[in-house]
């Protein structure tokens, strides 16, 4: 397996696996906990939109820091700041100052981490093995995602949110350890035409952000409601989905690297659309909700390698990977925030959750068109 010979990517995937252990634990309960803490569904989505808008506004500040320090320190600092949002999450009780502080802190941490991480992975990965490397990363994430939600659900019920989210914070901080052995990546002071080169990435991520609104954010609310707001049942549903998703993406990564990217787009976006449609009604019954949630693990294994192989290779060919991802992540924030506000408005006006989930189909259609164009190029 030649794609495992890149030691740096192996360390990055180890970091991401530990990081995913935290996100599939405490991170998976983010929206569910806000709902349980007394924030109404439309308020949870508005809070998500506020986080994304904050990220959009903060993101340009990453460039001067990247030019001065390089990408590696930004990924490490972003990991630590992201970890600190979880103790704040434990203090939320309805709409109030703790929720506002959480939104602000989440905006800063997510902006630092995801912008720098995507640019870092794009720089250090291999274009010819990109699909394999991303698939291996996602499979590792799914593997650790089996135990994490079960443990977090148990901890929330028996030990309380401060312990559960404190553990999430600690694991996130520990995930920075493998990065101590990876090289830094310098960022040039000038990069002509960098923003123009980033336009395809901006459009792809805007479509992806719009899709994630209903497929992830609204769905978590719907699933938690279907399971009678039980943290243990919610954790069990997430663990079951992780079992389904462990191997689903490995085959597609090899398929993409063999030159079949455009065919992979049909499969990935087709399965995504089918899952979104299934979820519009599945949340009405606990059993079907659990099955629809498990189908989402297959989507991640198919869709994420297809999307991120295109984005990472576009960014590595661009004049500057960091400038590319600053712009592209801004597209994700704009797409996700717009869709969240639309969904919040629909729910506030009395529309069912199914309507808010179905809105994500617009993003999937746009992603299909853009990905076909990217792989054709």
């Amino acid at each position: 397996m030649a794609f495992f010979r890149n030691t740096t990517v192996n360390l990055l995937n180890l970091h991401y696996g530990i990081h995913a252990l935290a996100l599939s634990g405490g991170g998976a309960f983010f929206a569910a906990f806000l709902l349980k803490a007394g924030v109404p569904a439309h308020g949870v989505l508005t809070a998500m939109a506020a986080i994304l808008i904050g990220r959009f506004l903060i993101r340009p500040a990453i460039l001067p820091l990247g030019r001065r320090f390089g990408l590696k320190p930004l990924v490490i600092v972003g990991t630590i700041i992201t970890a600190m949002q979880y103790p704040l999450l434990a203090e939320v009780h309805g709409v109030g100052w703790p929720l506002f502080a959480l939104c602000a802190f989440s905006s800063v941490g997510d902006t630092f981490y995801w912008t720098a991480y995507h640019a870092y992975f794009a720089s250090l990965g291999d274009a010819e093995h990109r699909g394999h490397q991303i698939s291996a990363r996602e499979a590792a994430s799914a593997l650790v995602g089996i135990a994490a939600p079960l443990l977090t659900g148990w901890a929330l019920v028996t030990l309380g949110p401060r312990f559960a989210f404190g553990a999430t914070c600690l694991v996130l901080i520990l995930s920075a350890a493998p990065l101590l052995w990876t090289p830094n990546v310098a960022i040039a002071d000038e990069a002509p035409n960098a923003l123009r080169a980033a336009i395809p990435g901006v459009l792809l991520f805007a479509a992806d952000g719009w899709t994630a609104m209903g497929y992830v954010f609204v769905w978590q609310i719907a699933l938690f409601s279907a399971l009678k707001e039980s943290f243990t049942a919610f954790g069990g549903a997430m663990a079951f989905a992780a079992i389904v998703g462990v191997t689903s993406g490995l085959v597609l990564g090899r398929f993409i690297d063999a030159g079949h990217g455009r065919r992979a787009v049909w499969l990935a976006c087709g399965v995504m659309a089918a899952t979104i449609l299934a979820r519009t009604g599945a949340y009405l019954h606990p059993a079907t909700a659990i099955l629809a949630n498990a189908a989402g693990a297959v989507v991640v294994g198919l869709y994420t390698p297809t999307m991120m192989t295109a984005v990472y290779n576009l960014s590595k060919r661009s004049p500057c990977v960091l400038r590319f991802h600053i712009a592209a992540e801004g597209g994700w924030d704009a797409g996700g925030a717009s869709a969240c506000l639309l969904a919040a408005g629909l729910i506030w006006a009395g529309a069912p959750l199914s309507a808010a989930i179905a809105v994500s189909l617009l993003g999937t259609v746009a992603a299909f068109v853009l990905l076909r164009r990217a792989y054709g190029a």
Side-chain angles (χ1 to χ4, degrees), residues 280-360:
T280 58
Y283 73 93
L284 298 174
H285 304 282
T288 55
I290 291 172
L291 291 175
N293 190 64
V298 179
V299 173
V300 171
L302 299 174
Y303 180 80
T304 301
T306 306
M307 171 65 72
M308 295 313 300
T309 296
V311 170
Y312 284 151
N313 286 344
L314 283 168
S315 68
K316 191 165 187 175
R317 292 196 299 265
S318 72
C320 174
V321 288
L322 181 58
R323 290 172 173 86
F324 180 98
H325 281 285
I326 288 173
E329 288 282 338
W332 204 99
D333 296 337
S338 300
C340 278
L341 290 174
L342 175 59
L346 289 172
I347 294 170
W348 177 79
L353 290 173
S354 58
I357 294 171
V359 170
S360 288

Side-chain angles (χ1 to χ4, degrees), residues 173-193:
I173 292 173
L174 291 175
S175 74
L179 301 176
L180 299 177
W181 289 275
T182 60
N184 199 3
V185 174
I187 300 300
D189 289 336
E190 301 292 337
N193 300 318

